[in-house]
């Protein structure tokens, strides 16, 4: 009976050590899956998509154009120009 308790104690101790080790290991990994949202003074910046090249940019960084009452966001003046040309 005593031996069983001792074994149980060892198992619990070993388990705790493994949990600590795994936690430390996970912390040391780079957080690749972490979604990075840039925060400005106004809070979280909305991500918008450039309809020309398909790139995502923050609303703050983008160049906007209003076509037929709708607002479009572009990564560069070049993309904006292309888009406006396509509109005719
Ligand atoms: Zn673009």
């Amino acid at each position: 009976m005593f031996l069983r308790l001792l074994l149980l104690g060892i198992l619990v101790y070993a388990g705790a050590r493994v949990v600590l080790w795994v936690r430390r290991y996970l912390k040391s990994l780079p957080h690749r899956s972490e979604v990075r949202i840039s925060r400005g003074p106004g809070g979280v910046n909305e991500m918008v998509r450039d309809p020309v090249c398909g790139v995502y940019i923050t609303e703050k960084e983008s160049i906007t154009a209003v076509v037929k009452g709708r607002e479009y966001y572009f990564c560069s003046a070049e993309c904006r120009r292309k888009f406006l040309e396509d509109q005719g």
Side-chain angles (χ1 to χ4, degrees), residues 8-18:
L8 195 73
I10 289 166
L11 274 172
V12 167
Y13 178 76
R17 287 304 295 253
V18 167

Side-chain angles (χ1 to χ4, degrees), residues 50-55 57 73-76 78-80:
D50 182 324
V52 178
C53 64
V55 140
I57 56 260
Y73 304 92
F74 306 94
C75 70
S76 64
E78 182 66 19
C79 283
R80 185 181 181 267

Side-chain angles (χ1 to χ4, degrees), residues 2-60:
F2 176 75
L3 199 71
R4 252 191 210 181
L5 277 172
L6 190 74
L7 272 170
L8 195 73
I10 289 166
L11 274 172
V12 167
Y13 178 76
R17 287 304 295 253
V18 167
V19 167
L20 278 172
W21 182 84
V22 168
R23 268 196 198 164
R24 212 181 300 160
Y25 175 73
L26 287 175
K27 263 187 191 173
S28 70
L29 285 175
H31 298 278
R32 263 183 229 163
S33 58
E34 204 177 275
V35 179
R36 284 174 205 281
I37 303 161
S38 56
R39 284 165 195 276
V44 180
N45 283 328
E46 284 285 320
M47 292 302 281
V48 289
R49 192 168 172 268
D50 182 324
V52 178
C53 64
V55 140
Y56 282 90
I57 56 260
T58 60
E59 209 178 310
K60 219 169 99 184

